[in-house]
Amino acid sequence: MKLSNRIQSMQESPVRKLVPIATRVKKEGKKIYHLNIGQPDIETPKEFMNAINNYDSRVIKYSFSQGEPTLINAIREYFVRDDIHFNENEILITNGGSEALTFSTIAICDPGDEILVPEPFYTNYSGFTGGVNVSIKPITTKAEDGFHLPSKDDIVKLITPKTKAILFSNPGNPTGTIFRLDELKMIAEIAIEHDLYIISDEVYRGFAFDGLKGISMGSLKEVSDRVIIIESVSKRYSACGARIGAIASKNSELMKNILKLCQARLCVATLEQIGAAELYKLTDTYTESIKIEYQARRDIVYKTLVKIPGVVCEKPTGAFYVVAKLPVKNAEEFIIWMLEEFEEDGESIMMAPAEGFYSTKGLGIDEVRIAYVLNTKDMERAMYLLRKGLEKYNS
Ligand SMILES: Cc1ncc(COP(=O)(O)O)c(C=O)c1O
């Protein structure tokens, strides 16, 4: 029986495709430090489970399609800290940021439409868009420029009558780059001039280092009717398995229509919403402490990378990733070699090949993405193993 062309043309997750190799070598007894996936090791705040344990109901009922009011209000309050004000109809709760991205794409694009995305980009953007026959037009950014945006002209020339939106993650996965205010203003200008939506994926908001403050697109008033903010508890509150995200937008027509998709899937898990509401109520002291921890990890990664001859990478300022060009021809081959051939005291590392984060063929072949999601001691060890591995591989 035939499968759809759509599903067959979807790429396998580049982050997960090497997992079977890692599983095999681990079974053979090797210890692998996982730098390949954005799964934080930080404990989920206890407030999440406490709220669920205290939930007093004999029946776990469907929640509202829009989401639990207590969670919606907690998210609204969270935005107020940055002087961004949403009313209760301007937030929709989703199954993670993933569903928020899928719903937003379905709501604003028809099959054959295009979305501009700075590349390298979070690889599942291809899945969310390709699954509904929407294509990504990459805005190529480079390691040498710290993955900041190119000029306005370079972006504008990619726009066609089929372009419906600009989508980006800020802070960036996989780049760790935080867009400056002037870059966000440039995006806003382009969106106004070419009548585009702006899908601002802010699931890493709060992870901003060196005194920087990640700016929410929600604070640019001139585009408030075009901005769709993607939210999630996965990273900020280390609750990836809770599957709680949200769409925030001041465009009432858009929200009214996305609500139809929310109704079609009935609701998001009731208990997890109750837990997630408490996460959004955590004070800035919590986010500050997490930030300090990730900044220390970032420093370990960067300090090692800059000392390795032939490595190109700018210091990342946000999220918990870095993309680095390595002195190898093919990063995927090197990653596999690290898994299968290399070890020191029975230990090695796993990274993600960056090629899959680009949609332009031929880019990223010699690059890796490192997720610094391990404690500082393990990060020191993992980066030591990377340095040793590269020395051996190139000797
Ligand atoms: C940039 C970005 N957006 C969205 C997501 C999806 O997150 P969620 O777990 O909320 O579905 C991720 C997950 O890694 C991500 O990195």
Side-chain angles (χ1 to χ4, degrees):
M1 266 189 298
K2 203 178 159 314
L3 292 167
S4 70
N5 294 331
R6 192 171 51 201
I7 198 77
Q8 291 184 84
S9 63
M10 264 175 86
Q11 69 163 348
E12 220 185 324
S13 162
V15 179
R16 292 182 186 254
K17 78 176 183 195
L18 304 181
V19 169
I21 303 177
T23 308
R24 173 168 49 78
V25 299
K26 284 197 287 192
K27 264 197 193 134
E28 289 161 8
K30 203 183 272 187
K31 172 167 179 179
I32 300 294
Y33 291 90
H34 283 277
L35 311 176
N36 55 305
I37 189 155
Q39 167 62 67
D41 65 338
I42 307 273
E43 243 180 62
T44 310
K46 60 179 181 339
E47 285 81 351
F48 178 82
M49 282 312 293
N50 288 349
I52 293 177
N53 288 332
N54 293 333
Y55 186 67
D56 189 15
S57 173
R58 288 180 161 266
V59 181
I60 307 296
K61 293 189 191 144
Y62 283 124
S63 171
F64 299 97
S65 294
Q66 188 195 346
E68 282 292 322
T70 160
L71 175 57
I72 291 171
N73 285 325
I75 295 178
R76 290 174 62 208
E77 286 301 320
Y78 169 77
F79 276 105
V80 168
R81 294 181 207 177
D82 284 316
D83 202 19
I84 300 170
H85 300 266
F86 288 110
N87 71 37
E88 55 269 36
N89 295 325
E90 293 172 340
I91 310 264
L92 295 171
I93 306 302
T94 55
N95 287 292
S98 303
E99 191 181 61
L101 285 157
T102 308
F103 282 2
S104 302
T105 307
I106 295 173
I108 62 176
C109 294
D110 283 313
D113 283 343
E114 295 166 355
I115 296 185
L116 296 185
V117 185
E119 73 174 346
F121 54 80
Y122 173 47
T123 162
N124 281 335
Y125 287 170
S126 303
F128 305 140
T129 52
V132 289
N133 291 87
V134 170
S135 39
I136 286 181
K137 269 252 185 116
I139 302 167
T140 304
T141 66
K142 300 193 188 104
E144 293 82 337
D145 304 331
F147 297 106
H148 283 283
L149 291 173
S151 70
K152 184 173 170 186
D153 286 349
D154 283 339
I155 299 177
V156 166
K157 68 181 180 222
L158 299 169
I159 297 174
T160 74
K162 294 206 158 288
T163 310
K164 291 288 148 63
I166 305 178
L167 157 66
F168 54 92
S169 97
N170 184 35
N173 173 11
T175 59
T177 301
I178 294 193
F179 290 145
R180 299 177 307 262
L181 181 60
D182 62 292
E183 291 173 281
L184 299 182
K185 285 196 162 162
M186 173 173 73
I187 291 171
E189 257 176 46
I190 296 173
I192 293 169
E193 286 162 14
H194 297 269
D195 196 19
L196 305 176
Y197 284 98
I198 299 167
I199 307 177
S200 182
D201 181 344
E202 302 184 1
V203 307
Y204 294 94
R205 196 149 74 88
F207 296 92
F209 312 130
D210 307 327
L212 279 179
K213 187 159 167 30
I215 303 164
S216 169
M217 204 67 203
S219 54
L220 275 73
K221 300 259 185 312
E222 66 272 31
V223 278
S224 61
D225 57 333
R226 315 183 165 269
V227 170
I228 306 171
I229 296 176
I230 306 298
E231 255 296 312
S232 171
V233 298
S234 292
K235 316 290 169 166
R236 196 180 306 127
Y237 303 111
S238 202
C240 294
R243 310 307 306 130
I244 298 293
I247 299 173
S249 174
K250 297 205 143 291
N251 184 320
S252 56
E253 191 57 21
L254 171 79
M255 294 303 264
K256 210 170 76 192
N257 278 282
I258 298 183
L259 182 59
K260 294 191 251 175
L261 291 165
C262 296
Q263 288 165 347
R265 62 85 168 104
L266 302 179
C267 73
V268 171
T270 305
L271 289 182
E272 276 78 357
Q273 291 189 72
I274 299 296
E278 298 311 307
L279 298 179
Y280 277 101
K281 288 179 198 163
L282 291 170
T283 63
D284 289 342
T285 320
Y286 168 78
T287 14
E288 273 305 306
S289 65
I290 299 299
K291 196 161 85 175
I292 290 166
E293 171 64 23
Y294 278 107
Q295 182 163 323
R297 296 172 179 194
R298 188 277 315 259
D299 290 345
I300 293 167
V301 173
Y302 185 67
K303 172 186 83 185
T304 313
L305 286 174
V306 288
K307 280 196 210 130
I308 303 175
V311 167
V312 178
C313 103
E314 287 291 307
K315 197 178 199 175
T317 49
F320 41 64
Y321 305 102
V322 56
V323 172
K325 258 188 213 300
L326 298 186
V328 297
K329 254 211 174 92
N330 183 307
E332 184 169 318
E333 282 171 19
F334 171 65
I335 292 166
I336 296 173
W337 180 86
M338 282 297 283
L339 286 169
E340 292 184 326
E341 310 285 333
F342 176 81
E343 67 164 282
E344 197 175 283
D345 298 328
E347 296 183 344
S348 189
I349 62 167
M350 180 173 187
M351 299 169 290
E355 191 184 352
F357 295 94
Y358 289 85
S359 70
T360 305
K361 287 269 161 290
L363 292 185
I365 294 174
D366 56 353
E367 296 176 6
V368 291
R369 183 193 74 173
I370 295 171
Y372 38 97
V373 287
L374 307 179
N375 64 53
T376 47
K377 185 165 157 274
D378 286 354
M379 270 328 295
E380 288 276 9
R381 174 73 180 152
M383 293 310 289
Y384 166 84
L385 291 169
L386 171 62
R387 187 162 61 78
K388 285 285 161 191
L390 274 171
E391 269 168 30
K392 196 161 174 201
Y393 190 72
N394 284 330
S395 68

